[in-house]
Amino acid sequence: MSITINQPLDMHLHLRDKAMLKTVGPLSSASFSGAIIMPNLVPPVSTKEELIAYKSRIIEACGEDTFTPYMTLFFKPSYTKEFLKSVKDELTAIKLYPAGITTNSEGGVSGFDVNELRPTLDAMSELEIPLCIHGETNGFVMDREAEFVSIYEMLASNFPKLKIIMEHITTRESVEALDKFDNLYATITLHHLLITLDDVAGGMLQPHLFCKPIAKRPEDREALRRVALEGHPKVMFGSDSAPHPQHTKESCGCAAGVFTAPIALQVLAELFEGHSTIENLQAFVSNNAKAIYNHIKVPHKTVTLEKKPFIVPAKYGDVVPMYASETLAYSIVNIQG
Ligand code: DOR
Ligand code: ZN
């Protein structure tokens, strides 16, 4: 039994910088045609010069691989229409973080005052720049995303021409919001399709599964699986693969992030095959993203997987992946392009 995926895309990826970029960049560029690159470096990517320089560091780290980094800027309400016009051709989206909500997001938005945001969001609508949002309030950790849905709805109704991507959704409430507004879309990670809070903290604490948004309840995971496995046209795969050095995960004050880039396609194949929905995997990992981000050019690449054991390395550099040292059912057997 073999599965071939055309032009796999990861629509939410953290590649970091310097030595970490050199370690993790090639692990994505080997098997994906492209990825939306998150801007939460220190300092965040927020000027045209920083964005162009970061893109070239990524391309250099990925060597000869056929891979397009789709760049994003870190949202600031101070971005003017002139600035956005000048940078439009270099970026694919802008990423909005609420201030302090996750790794390196201190310079994000505090309070969602529509009047303060309007000039930038109007300009983005006009220039057709999608807005990716980390949708969590600073409320109780299990309720943060559900509480944010009213902000998504406020933005979607005030800016009906703006494409809004609810990043890494984890709840039933976010899934329900998808069908209420034409301009709301979502990415879903691998780990949120697989785990619940029980896997993180139900037994001994599993720091390598700790991430933001935190994994939720079984019924939330069911809602995510339903739309992912059916290939719902408004959802796309975004790994949120977020590498952290081992000592920052296995420590007091564990960093948030699950590193999944090198295992994502293998585990997705097993998940979709196990639910007899393998025919929808192509939509989830590529076609939906191409339709939603309709301006992107996607390089040609095909990845073939077979049911053949793959032992996940214990570490990639200094990063412990999800399922470290475990055996997966599917392996990548061929990559063309
Ligand atoms: O778990 C997470 N890690 N969630 C995020 O939103 C950011 C990411 C990171 O950059 O480490
Ligand atoms: Zn992320």
Side-chain angles (χ1 to χ4, degrees), residues 24 41 70 111 138 184 201 250 255-256 276 278 310 332 334:
V24 302
L41 303 183
Y70 303 111
N138 55 8
L184 278 186
E250 297 175 6
S276 307
I278 197 70
F310 170 59
I332 293 175
N334 192 21

Side-chain angles (χ1 to χ4, degrees), residues 9 13 75 93 127 129 145-146 178 205 209 234 269 309 318 334:
L9 292 167
L13 178 65
F75 180 90
L127 297 167
I129 301 172
E145 185 177 302
L178 264 182
L205 191 65
L209 298 180
K234 294 181 94 185
D318 194 22
N334 192 21

Side-chain angles (χ1 to χ4, degrees), residues 12 14 38 168 240:
H12 184 130
H14 297 270
M38 290 297 125
H168 44 54
D240 199 12

Side-chain angles (χ1 to χ4, degrees), residues 14 16 40 102-103 134 168 211-212 240 242 244 256-257:
H14 297 270
R16 315 300 192 205
N40 62 333
T102 188
T103 312
H134 181 121
H168 44 54
C211 64
K212 297 291 178 64
D240 199 12
H244 290 275

Side-chain angles (χ1 to χ4, degrees), residues 94-126:
I94 295 182
K95 173 72 185 282
L96 186 156
Y97 288 93
I101 204 68
T102 188
T103 312
N104 306 335
S105 62
E106 291 71 22
V109 170
S110 350
F112 279 80
D113 175 354
V114 74
N115 293 323
E116 190 201 357
L117 301 174
R118 188 173 293 284
T120 308
L121 296 185
D122 275 343
M124 287 174 63
S125 304
E126 201 175 307

Side-chain angles (χ1 to χ4, degrees), residues 198-201 203-210 249 254:
D198 252 3
D199 297 291
V200 186
M204 287 167 86
L205 191 65
Q206 300 300 322
H208 297 292
L209 298 180
F210 173 66
K249 294 290 287 174
C254 167

Side-chain angles (χ1 to χ4, degrees), residues 199-320:
D199 297 291
V200 186
M204 287 167 86
L205 191 65
Q206 300 300 322
H208 297 292
L209 298 180
F210 173 66
C211 64
K212 297 291 178 64
I214 192 101
K216 304 288 188 316
R217 297 176 176 79
E219 52 270 36
D220 293 303
R221 182 180 58 181
E222 269 323 299
L224 301 176
R225 284 188 177 181
R226 183 175 58 73
V227 284
L229 292 168
E230 77 180 26
H232 188 301
K234 294 181 94 185
V235 304
M236 47 196 162
F237 175 60
S239 69
D240 199 12
S241 179
H244 290 275
Q246 184 172 16
H247 73 276
T248 66
K249 294 290 287 174
E250 297 175 6
S251 76
C252 180
C254 167
V258 184
F259 182 57
T260 54
I263 61 154
L265 293 176
Q266 299 90 322
V267 180
L268 284 172
E270 184 174 355
L271 181 73
F272 277 66
E273 177 62 30
H275 286 81
S276 307
T277 56
I278 197 70
E279 68 281 6
N280 296 334
L281 182 57
Q282 178 65 37
F284 183 60
V285 295
S286 183
N287 299 0
N288 293 349
K290 282 196 278 184
I292 295 166
Y293 282 94
N294 54 349
H295 296 305
I296 60 173
K297 287 202 184 70
V298 184
H300 183 73
K301 183 180 275 188
T302 58
V303 177
T304 302
L305 299 113
E306 272 177 17
K307 202 159 193 181
K308 185 175 157 203
F310 170 59
I311 301 171
V312 180
K315 287 213 240 176
Y316 290 89
D318 194 22
V319 185
V320 178

